[in-house]
Amino acid sequence: MIGLQWGDEAKGKLVDLMTSQFDYVVRYQGGSNAGHTVVIGDQTYKLHHIPSGILNPGVMNIIAPGVVLNPATLLQEIEGLTARQIDVTENLRISDRAHVVFPWHLAEDRVTNAAAVAGESIGTTLRGIGPCYRDKYARSHAIRMGDLCRSGFRARIEEIVAAKQRALAGLGSTESLDVEAIYTEFSGYAERLQPLVTETTDLLLDALDAGKSLLFEGAQGALLDIDHGTFPFVTSSNSSGVGVCGGSGVPPCWIRRVLGVAKAYTTRVGGGPFPTELDDEVGQRIRDLGNEYGTTTGRARRCGWFDAVAVRYTTRLSGVSGLSIMMLDVLSQLPEVKICVAYQLDGKRIERFPSHVEDLRRVTPIYETLPGWETDVTQMRRMSELPSGARRYLDRVSELVRRPIDVVSVGPDRAQTIFADGAS
Ligand code: GDP
Ligand code: IMO
Ligand code: MG
């Protein structure tokens, strides 16, 4: 399951809803920058590392090698679930290959994010994601979950802290790192997490050989993909469909179906171009109606119209077979709604998503305006119940993105979901 915009497409809701059809749910990239919300009745769960399958008993949840993991945040999540009678000891496993986020990564994120890139700050979640992935690819200063309990861990910390302290000072940071305190803190986390840490690649391949079914839960959205997104205003992993295999260790031959998730409009948190952004009272109305404030950082999300150019691009890039359109209820009070069907760039109409951020900054969206439906849809459970204006809007989205709509979400709760005939 892949987010097709800039994240927060309500992947958590949909993963939770579909989990009962699967044996395993796998998170395979990103880390605590993700914030996935699941609403069940009067209970709201916010998950950062733990797969959104965790609320379905009997399903195994895997944190695969491609995730970068902050043990303190993960333990808080586990404690939060345990306090609500959700025990993870039997159904959560963490790869010993997953890289660990350390205090120096958080410090580096703070310093580098303060500086502008291409004229603007990236506006990261400050969770140390970029610095941790950088160390993973550079290799010499990286530590994985499987290293935490091995002899030599203290010596590694000492070596890395010395280098990081110099690097941070060079960046103008006064942050001081205490070897002993970090060693003691992370050894404690390692001891507590040890029962859950294991080899997960063979575990997943064995499950597939035994006929089990796996659901892969993407974090972020495809427009934030490090290689194919709006670089440099992206995250540091492959958050489009192309990241599933690399992050999980499951080869492409096992991928049967890719579900794409998009909001009925668009949001973005942090910096970077956003052609359909509404910097006016309509944008504020969408923010208020959709409660568009970040699950992880609480930041106000930037809001705008649905961008069919962008979603057609990410749908193809991720190999999506069918769409789930979320938050349809949020548009229900607007007198008219717009869809961006193409861009204008240098006097020409273009239908492809530009690869360079400067071109994306210069495009002007070409809109089609449709009448609103101004009807409360939150209690509707069948496509045929939706007002004709809403159906026309969804049909146009489907036509422009060139994929069928399998699911429509009309509210945060599990029950507020409409499955197209034949889709489940
Ligand atoms: P994720 O990161 O993709 O899992 O999405 P987030 O959890 O960050 O943000 C989605 C927000 O929208 C959450 O607060 C959900 O509870 C909420 N939500 C999910 N589906 C719907 C919907 O159809 N309508 C409304 N109004 N809210 C929804
Ligand atoms: P979920 O999984 C929305 C954004 C940040 C910033 C950029 C880089 O909940 O959809 P990072 O901390 O990853 O280096 O930040 O990516 N970002 C997200 N935006 N939803 C997310 O996750 C995000 N994870 C990162 O706001 O613009
Ligand atoms: Mg989110």
Side-chain angles (χ1 to χ4, degrees):
M1 180 168 309
I2 305 294
L4 298 176
Q5 295 157 320
W6 280 289
D8 302 325
E9 298 90 348
K11 300 174 291 290
K13 164 175 170 164
L14 210 55
V15 168
D16 166 67
L17 202 61
M18 309 218 89
T19 294
S20 58
Q21 301 170 36
F22 293 87
D23 300 303
Y24 289 73
V25 179
V26 185
R27 268 286 306 273
Y28 56 89
Q29 44 76 228
S32 66
N33 50 350
H36 296 182
T37 315
V38 179
V39 178
I40 307 171
D42 62 355
Q43 297 289 310
T44 298
Y45 301 86
K46 291 177 192 280
L47 300 162
H48 300 287
H49 297 96
I50 299 181
S52 304
I54 199 74
L55 304 168
N56 286 254
V59 172
M60 180 56 98
N61 293 270
I62 303 288
I63 298 178
V67 171
V68 289
L69 200 147
N70 180 325
T73 315
L74 175 63
L75 281 161
Q76 274 170 19
E77 279 183 78
I78 293 176
E79 281 160 13
L81 289 171
T82 312
R84 295 163 86 174
Q85 279 71 54
I86 294 153
D87 180 34
V88 304
T89 46
E90 293 305 318
N91 62 348
L92 176 67
R93 292 293 176 269
I94 302 160
S95 170
D96 58 353
R97 293 184 170 99
H99 283 250
V100 181
V101 177
F102 280 94
W104 49 83
H105 295 131
L106 302 174
E108 285 170 344
D109 208 356
R110 281 194 289 272
V111 191
T112 47
N113 189 49
V117 188
E120 196 179 349
S121 165
I122 293 176
T124 74
T125 58
L126 299 176
R127 297 299 187 271
I129 305 297
C132 184
Y133 276 118
R134 183 176 54 208
D135 279 343
K136 163 175 163 170
Y137 283 98
R139 291 151 297 159
S140 42
H141 289 151
I143 296 182
R144 308 200 293 181
M145 284 304 288
D147 299 323
L148 297 183
C149 284
R150 305 246 170 182
S151 61
F153 175 49
R154 195 182 187 293
R156 288 283 289 144
I157 297 271
E158 236 170 274
E159 197 182 294
I160 296 172
V161 163
K164 291 291 180 183
Q165 202 71 81
R166 285 194 299 273
L168 280 166
L171 289 167
S173 165
T174 53
E175 193 99 12
S176 102
L177 300 165
D178 179 337
V179 172
E180 202 51 50
I182 295 173
Y183 172 69
T184 309
E185 183 185 334
F186 280 76
S187 300
Y189 298 148
E191 206 177 301
R192 291 171 63 195
L193 289 171
Q194 198 51 35
L196 306 180
V197 176
T198 186
E199 200 285 341
T200 61
T201 306
D202 265 333
L203 187 153
L204 292 178
L205 294 172
D206 288 348
L208 286 162
D209 283 340
K212 305 286 185 198
S213 57
L214 275 53
L215 174 61
F216 295 94
E217 176 177 2
Q220 290 81 55
L223 294 172
L224 288 169
D225 186 288
I226 182 77
D227 291 309
H228 309 285
T230 51
F231 191 88
F233 301 99
V234 292
T235 191
S236 299
S237 65
N238 283 119
S239 50
S240 69
V242 305
V244 173
C245 300
S248 67
V250 171
C253 60
W254 289 104
I255 312 291
R256 298 272 181 268
R257 213 170 125 210
V258 183
L259 311 168
V261 192
K263 284 180 183 175
Y265 48 95
T266 313
T267 63
R268 172 163 211 175
V269 206
F274 178 176
T276 63
E277 182 167 16
L278 288 165
D279 205 5
D280 59 10
E281 68 278 10
V282 182
Q284 186 57 43
R285 188 112 192 264
I286 294 177
R287 186 174 304 115
D288 292 340
L289 292 167
N291 190 25
E292 292 293 358
Y293 296 90
T295 308
T296 297
T297 59
R299 288 179 290 176
R301 295 176 182 148
R302 300 158 64 192
C303 299
W305 296 121
F306 186 85
D307 185 340
V309 179
V311 176
R312 187 164 57 230
Y313 166 63
T314 53
T315 291
R316 297 177 76 205
L317 169 69
S318 298
V320 167
S321 44
L323 301 171
S324 297
I325 300 294
M326 315 302 278
M327 333 273 294
L328 185 71
D329 53 302
V330 173
L331 296 184
S332 291
Q333 291 186 33
L334 305 181
E336 60 178 30
V337 284
K338 294 187 186 190
I339 304 179
C340 168
V341 296
Y343 298 145
Q344 183 98 12
L345 179 64
D346 297 330
K348 287 200 198 95
R349 179 189 168 102
I350 57 166
E351 295 194 353
R352 289 188 187 255
F353 194 71
S355 55
H356 201 285
V357 77
E358 292 308 330
D359 292 337
L360 192 62
R361 274 205 175 116
R362 290 188 305 115
V363 302
T364 310
I366 299 173
Y367 288 117
E368 239 172 61
T369 304
L370 284 85
W373 43 95
E374 299 185 88
T375 309
D376 180 4
V377 296
T378 56
Q379 305 308 317
M380 298 182 181
R381 300 292 178 265
R382 300 173 73 86
M383 290 287 187
S384 56
E385 289 172 44
L386 287 174
S388 60
R391 272 187 285 154
R392 201 172 319 139
Y393 181 75
L394 293 169
D395 286 346
R396 190 65 183 128
V397 164
S398 170
E399 193 173 71
L400 288 162
V401 178
R402 302 183 195 140
R403 292 294 182 279
I405 295 176
D406 294 334
V407 178
V408 176
S409 176
V410 292
D413 196 80
R414 270 179 179 173
Q416 293 176 298
T417 313
I418 300 176
F419 291 94
D421 290 342
S424 64

